[in-house]
Amino acid sequence: MSEQLTTAEVDTQTGDDTVEVETAQQQLDDQAAKGADEASAKDESGAQEDPLDTEGDIAADYLEELLDIADLDGDIDTYAEGGRAHVSIVTDSEVLVGKDGEVLDALQELSRLAVMTETGHRSRLMLDIAGHRERRRKELQVLAHDAIAEVKTSGEAVRMTPMNPFERKIVHDAVAAAGLVSESEGVEPKRRVVVLPAE
Protein backbone atom coordinates (compact mmCIF):
# COMPACT_ATOMS: atom_id res chain seq x y z
CA MET A 1 0.00 0.00 0.00
CA SER A 2 1.56 3.29 -1.15
CA GLU A 3 2.22 5.96 1.37
CA GLN A 4 0.39 9.29 0.98
CA LEU A 5 1.77 12.42 2.62
CA THR A 6 -0.33 15.34 3.69
CA THR A 7 0.80 18.95 3.17
CA ALA A 8 1.58 19.23 6.86
CA GLU A 9 3.76 16.10 6.74
CA VAL A 10 5.61 17.41 3.64
CA ASP A 11 6.24 20.71 5.43
CA THR A 12 7.57 18.84 8.44
CA GLN A 13 9.81 16.61 6.37
CA THR A 14 11.23 19.32 4.08
CA GLY A 15 11.85 21.98 6.71
CA ASP A 16 13.48 25.07 5.11
CA ASP A 17 12.84 23.70 1.60
CA THR A 18 9.21 24.78 1.94
CA VAL A 19 10.23 28.41 2.38
CA GLU A 20 12.46 28.20 -0.70
CA VAL A 21 9.64 26.70 -2.80
CA GLU A 22 7.25 29.42 -1.65
CA THR A 23 9.84 32.10 -2.48
CA ALA A 24 10.42 30.60 -5.95
CA GLN A 25 6.66 30.44 -6.53
CA GLN A 26 6.32 34.09 -5.49
CA GLN A 27 9.07 35.06 -7.96
CA LEU A 28 7.30 33.16 -10.75
CA ASP A 29 4.02 34.90 -9.89
CA ASP A 30 5.76 38.29 -9.89
CA GLN A 31 7.37 37.60 -13.28
CA ALA A 32 4.04 36.48 -14.71
CA ALA A 33 2.37 39.64 -13.41
CA LYS A 34 5.17 41.80 -14.81
CA GLY A 35 4.89 40.08 -18.20
CA ALA A 36 1.13 40.63 -18.21
CA ASP A 37 1.64 44.32 -17.40
CA GLU A 38 4.20 44.71 -20.21
CA ALA A 39 1.93 42.90 -22.67
CA SER A 40 -0.95 45.14 -21.61
CA ALA A 41 1.20 48.26 -22.09
CA LYS A 42 2.28 46.95 -25.49
CA ASP A 43 -1.33 46.33 -26.48
CA GLU A 44 -2.24 49.86 -25.40
CA SER A 45 0.62 51.39 -27.41
CA GLY A 46 -0.18 49.14 -30.34
CA ALA A 47 -3.78 50.26 -30.17
CA GLN A 48 -2.76 53.90 -30.51
CA GLU A 49 -3.92 55.56 -33.68
CA ASP A 50 -1.56 55.99 -36.60
CA PRO A 51 -0.18 59.57 -36.58
CA LEU A 52 -1.54 60.15 -40.10
CA ASP A 53 -5.01 59.02 -39.03
CA THR A 54 -4.76 61.41 -36.09
CA GLU A 55 -3.82 64.26 -38.45
CA GLY A 56 -6.78 63.45 -40.68
CA ASP A 57 -9.18 63.37 -37.72
CA ILE A 58 -7.95 66.73 -36.37
CA ALA A 59 -8.26 68.37 -39.80
CA ALA A 60 -11.68 66.79 -40.36
CA ASP A 61 -12.97 68.17 -37.03
CA TYR A 62 -11.59 71.62 -37.88
CA LEU A 63 -13.17 71.61 -41.35
CA GLU A 64 -16.48 70.29 -40.04
CA GLU A 65 -16.70 73.28 -37.70
CA LEU A 66 -15.87 75.55 -40.60
CA LEU A 67 -18.64 74.04 -42.73
CA ASP A 68 -21.10 74.54 -39.86
CA ILE A 69 -20.08 78.20 -39.42
CA ALA A 70 -20.32 78.85 -43.17
CA ASP A 71 -23.60 76.88 -43.32
CA LEU A 72 -22.27 74.75 -46.18
CA ASP A 73 -23.09 71.11 -46.88
CA GLY A 74 -20.39 68.50 -47.40
CA ASP A 75 -19.24 65.07 -46.28
CA ILE A 76 -15.67 64.66 -45.05
CA ASP A 77 -13.55 61.62 -45.87
CA THR A 78 -10.07 60.94 -44.48
CA TYR A 79 -7.41 58.42 -45.47
CA ALA A 80 -3.63 58.02 -45.48
CA GLU A 81 -1.64 57.52 -48.66
CA GLY A 82 1.94 58.10 -49.75
CA GLY A 83 3.05 59.07 -46.26
CA ARG A 84 0.46 61.84 -46.00
CA ALA A 85 -2.92 62.33 -44.40
CA HIS A 86 -5.57 63.14 -46.99
CA VAL A 87 -8.86 64.90 -46.27
CA SER A 88 -11.56 65.29 -48.87
CA ILE A 89 -14.72 67.38 -48.64
CA VAL A 90 -17.34 65.82 -50.89
CA THR A 91 -19.65 68.62 -52.03
CA ASP A 92 -21.25 70.04 -55.16
CA SER A 93 -20.27 73.58 -54.21
CA GLU A 94 -17.10 75.19 -55.59
CA VAL A 95 -17.25 78.04 -53.02
CA LEU A 96 -14.44 76.56 -50.93
CA VAL A 97 -12.29 75.89 -54.01
CA GLY A 98 -12.08 79.45 -55.31
CA LYS A 99 -10.42 80.70 -58.48
CA ASP A 100 -7.63 78.32 -59.53
CA GLY A 101 -7.96 76.58 -56.15
CA GLU A 102 -6.79 79.62 -54.17
CA VAL A 103 -9.36 79.18 -51.38
CA LEU A 104 -8.63 75.44 -51.30
CA ASP A 105 -4.90 76.13 -50.88
CA ALA A 106 -5.61 78.58 -48.05
CA LEU A 107 -7.88 76.08 -46.30
CA GLN A 108 -5.23 73.39 -46.67
CA GLU A 109 -2.69 75.65 -44.92
CA LEU A 110 -5.19 76.43 -42.15
CA SER A 111 -5.90 72.71 -41.71
CA ARG A 112 -2.17 71.99 -41.49
CA LEU A 113 -1.86 74.75 -38.89
CA ALA A 114 -4.73 73.25 -36.87
CA VAL A 115 -2.94 69.87 -36.93
CA MET A 116 0.40 71.41 -35.92
CA THR A 117 -1.26 73.32 -33.06
CA GLU A 118 -2.78 70.08 -31.77
CA THR A 119 0.16 67.71 -32.31
CA GLY A 120 3.19 69.99 -32.17
CA HIS A 121 4.42 68.53 -35.48
CA ARG A 122 4.43 70.02 -38.97
CA SER A 123 1.89 68.36 -41.25
CA ARG A 124 2.04 67.53 -44.98
CA LEU A 125 -1.72 66.96 -45.05
CA MET A 126 -3.43 67.22 -48.45
CA LEU A 127 -6.92 68.66 -48.77
CA ASP A 128 -9.27 68.20 -51.71
CA ILE A 129 -12.65 69.85 -52.10
CA ALA A 130 -15.32 68.90 -54.63
CA GLY A 131 -12.77 66.69 -56.44
CA HIS A 132 -10.81 69.75 -57.62
CA ARG A 133 -7.34 68.34 -56.96
CA GLU A 134 -8.17 64.99 -58.58
CA ARG A 135 -9.45 66.71 -61.73
CA ARG A 136 -6.40 68.98 -61.76
CA ARG A 137 -4.12 65.96 -61.33
CA LYS A 138 -5.55 64.37 -64.49
CA GLU A 139 -5.24 67.64 -66.44
CA LEU A 140 -1.61 68.06 -65.34
CA GLN A 141 -0.73 64.52 -66.31
CA VAL A 142 -2.02 65.21 -69.82
CA LEU A 143 -0.05 68.49 -69.97
CA ALA A 144 3.06 66.74 -68.68
CA HIS A 145 2.80 63.99 -71.31
CA ASP A 146 2.38 66.64 -74.04
CA ALA A 147 5.52 68.42 -72.81
CA ILE A 148 7.42 65.12 -72.62
CA ALA A 149 6.43 64.27 -76.20
CA GLU A 150 7.53 67.73 -77.39
CA VAL A 151 10.91 67.43 -75.65
CA LYS A 152 11.51 63.98 -77.12
CA THR A 153 10.62 65.25 -80.60
CA SER A 154 12.47 68.57 -80.56
CA GLY A 155 15.31 67.69 -78.19
CA GLU A 156 14.85 71.08 -76.55
CA ALA A 157 13.67 72.08 -73.07
CA VAL A 158 10.00 72.97 -72.57
CA ARG A 159 8.92 75.55 -69.98
CA MET A 160 5.47 74.98 -68.55
CA THR A 161 3.05 77.56 -67.12
CA PRO A 162 3.50 78.61 -63.46
CA MET A 163 2.14 76.10 -60.94
CA ASN A 164 1.84 75.68 -57.21
CA PRO A 165 4.00 73.07 -55.39
CA PHE A 166 1.27 70.39 -55.52
CA GLU A 167 0.93 70.78 -59.28
CA ARG A 168 4.67 70.89 -59.93
CA LYS A 169 5.16 67.63 -58.03
CA ILE A 170 2.63 65.87 -60.28
CA VAL A 171 4.53 67.07 -63.37
CA HIS A 172 7.95 66.15 -61.90
CA ASP A 173 6.65 62.63 -61.13
CA ALA A 174 5.28 62.19 -64.67
CA VAL A 175 8.55 63.41 -66.22
CA ALA A 176 10.65 61.09 -64.03
CA ALA A 177 8.40 58.15 -64.94
CA ALA A 178 9.04 58.93 -68.62
CA GLY A 179 12.80 58.80 -68.08
CA LEU A 180 13.41 62.51 -68.54
CA VAL A 181 14.63 65.21 -66.16
CA SER A 182 12.78 68.27 -64.89
CA GLU A 183 13.56 71.19 -62.65
CA SER A 184 11.72 74.15 -61.19
CA GLU A 185 12.66 77.73 -61.95
CA GLY A 186 11.40 81.13 -60.90
CA VAL A 187 9.94 82.49 -57.69
CA GLU A 188 6.50 81.81 -56.20
CA PRO A 189 3.84 82.34 -57.38
CA LYS A 190 5.44 82.31 -60.85
CA ARG A 191 7.54 79.19 -60.26
CA ARG A 192 7.31 76.72 -63.14
CA VAL A 193 8.53 73.32 -64.26
CA VAL A 194 11.10 73.03 -67.04
CA VAL A 195 11.20 69.65 -68.79
CA LEU A 196 14.69 68.85 -70.06
CA PRO A 197 15.82 66.37 -72.73
CA ALA A 198 17.54 63.20 -71.54
CA GLU A 199 21.32 63.50 -71.50
Side-chain angles (χ1 to χ4, degrees), residues 129-148:
I129 300 174
H132 174 79
R133 287 209 195 277
E134 193 52 43
R135 286 193 303 276
R136 185 66 178 142
R137 179 189 300 275
K138 289 174 182 173
E139 290 170 7
L140 288 166
Q141 285 171 339
V142 170
L143 290 172
H145 286 120
D146 289 346
I148 290 163

Side-chain angles (χ1 to χ4, degrees), residues 2-128:
S2 64
E3 226 180 325
Q4 292 184 347
L5 299 174
T6 65
T7 305
E9 288 171 332
V10 170
D11 287 349
T12 304
Q13 289 180 359
T14 58
D16 291 339
D17 291 345
T18 303
V19 176
E20 290 175 9
V21 169
E22 287 175 354
T23 304
Q25 184 60 49
Q26 183 62 43
Q27 288 173 343
L28 286 172
D29 290 344
D30 289 346
Q31 286 176 349
K34 183 179 176 186
D37 289 344
E38 287 174 355
S40 174
K42 203 176 213 179
D43 287 345
E44 286 173 9
S45 67
Q48 286 179 350
E49 243 187 310
D50 182 286
L52 295 180
D53 290 339
T54 302
E55 285 188 19
D57 291 343
I58 293 167
D61 290 342
Y62 171 78
L63 292 164
E64 195 168 347
E65 285 182 29
L66 188 94
L67 288 174
D68 288 343
I69 291 167
D71 196 25
L72 294 170
D73 292 327
D75 294 324
I76 300 177
D77 293 331
T78 64
Y79 62 97
E81 183 181 84
R84 290 180 188 240
H86 290 255
V87 179
S88 178
I89 299 178
V90 182
T91 178
D92 293 328
S93 172
E94 296 279 329
V95 173
L96 296 178
V97 175
K99 183 185 175 187
D100 298 325
E102 289 175 353
V103 177
L104 168 57
D105 289 339
L107 286 173
Q108 177 173 278
E109 288 308 309
L110 288 171
S111 298
R112 287 177 174 180
L113 185 59
V115 170
M116 190 171 75
T117 301
E118 193 82 21
T119 65
H121 300 291
R122 195 167 184 278
S123 172
R124 295 171 60 238
L125 176 137
M126 291 295 295
L127 174 65
D128 193 7

